[in-house]
Amino acid sequence: MSRDKNRVIIFDTTLRDGEQSPGCSMTLNEKLRVAEALEELGVDVIEAGFAIASNGDFQAVSQISALLKETTVCSLARASTKDIDRAWEALRGAKRPRIHTFISTSPLHMEHKLNMSPEKVLEKIAESVSYARNLCDDVEWSCEDGTRTEEDYLYKSIETAIKAGATTINVPDTVGYTTPVEYTEMMRKIIENVPNSDKAIFSTHCHNDLGLAVANSIAAVEGGARQIECTVNGIGERAGNAALEEIAMAFRTRHDMLPYTTGIVTENITKTSHLVSSVTGLNVQHNKAIVGANAFAHESGIHQDGMLKNAETYEIMTPESVGLGKSTLVMGKHSGRHAFSEKLKELGYELGNNEFLSAFQQFKDLADAKKVVYDEDIIAIVDDGMRDNDGMQITSWKFVCDHGVPNSATFEIVADGSVKEVHSEGNGPVDAAFLALSSLIEGEPDLELYQVHAVTKGTDAQAEVTVRLSDDGRTVNGHAAHTDTLVASAKAYLNAINKLLVKREKGKPEEMAV
């Protein structure tokens, strides 16, 4: 069956490259939720992890493989039989499995990272790709640091990989170095000069070090690539990856200049963005394209006047096209279960019975405490309730903050069915809370970030808090929301501790940059 020549495959690596962002580690349950959301979003390929990196990554790839119904599930592997065997073991249950193997090809990487000759790297390409192809029909090969690889050697490497059985060839801009014009020409020349290029689909994987990841990805498609590797909200190593939502909406909005299509259900973009932000603890910047809080906001009087006359004067796409409905104030303390259920459906959530009852009770409590309840408030409630906190949880709290007495925080903590109380004094209630909770873990992790912002307007708004902790080279983000800023702060800190404990159990991950 022939492929649509303008159909672009969307390869999402939020769960692999995205998770390599400092602090972005996700638990297994969180990864499963994100994977389901990505399938609903219409992603073609999900890179579920790097199976050999840890038992946690292996379990994630394995369980996502069993969970997904249509989407191709992929695992990363270095150019070694051990890596490839582990990847295949994790992928066996997938309806559509893919092994993604890679090796560096730039002179800089071959000399200083691999300590291998160009000839030896070619041998490893042939051996690893052939080995993977004997296990799996769908094999992707990447030339790490491809955009800084010598031209003739790049052609030879790609020819070798395709001859060995690679069905997708990824030419990554690993360090975000290339430019759009350069990348378009590079992709065209690869396809023209590699003798067997017609036997593979070419892919792009761009990092955003110079802010060009999306532009470069689109430029590669202009040059003949038909797969884009990207992440939700553009998260990833260093400055991040190409943002999935920006690519999808660029193709949809400028179809006159970019006649390419994807399988992305753009109306699910905002919901998926909120989920990824929630589980990673990375807030989306307000001026972020497509999914930022200000993406469809207009404050200038001239702009507002134009919008009132015709929205197209200042909006090139509709909020509805990315699943963003206008906030409404119809929910309140008199709203019942049915109305709340319908509101959840409108916002794109489907909760189990226990989750629904818990969210509804929190909504009623919030409605009693606030004058008005916004859609953003409900999203914060659901996201906070769905956040994976299977380790330790705060069940009660007491803060003392008064002039002339020591500031302190006391918490009742439940873990594995047992109850423990922790208490500390500090330089203010937040400091006391963090000191008390840090006693739950060996060693005191470094607090790298403490960020508070209001979910909605008003002095009665819920506070969303993000906490970033670092410990022995590990970095985690904690996230929580509550009408009481002190409670939100404590819950975010404990969320980070829970993640840090999981990360300690995994040990340090193997290197896995592409």
Side-chain angles (χ1 to χ4, degrees), residues 462-478:
Q462 288 190 94
E464 276 195 329
V465 176
T466 299
V467 168
R468 180 175 298 160
L469 302 179
S470 66
D471 167 69
D472 191 26
R474 307 175 183 90
T475 306
V476 293
N477 290 332

Side-chain angles (χ1 to χ4, degrees), residues 381-394:
I381 287 172
V382 177
D383 284 348
D384 195 54
M386 295 173 72
R387 192 167 290 116
D388 195 329
N389 254 333
D390 288 339
M392 297 177 286
Q393 297 185 44
I394 297 172

Side-chain angles (χ1 to χ4, degrees), residues 71 235 267 329 508:
T71 308
I235 65 173
E267 291 77 10
L329 311 180
K508 277 198 172 180

Side-chain angles (χ1 to χ4, degrees), residues 9 11 26 30 45 77 85 87 107 193 231 260 325 381 405 432 440 491:
I9 296 165
F11 176 114
M26 304 176 214
E30 288 169 341
V45 184
D85 282 338
N193 288 281
T231 61
Y260 310 107
I381 287 172
V405 299
L440 296 166
K491 287 191 171 186

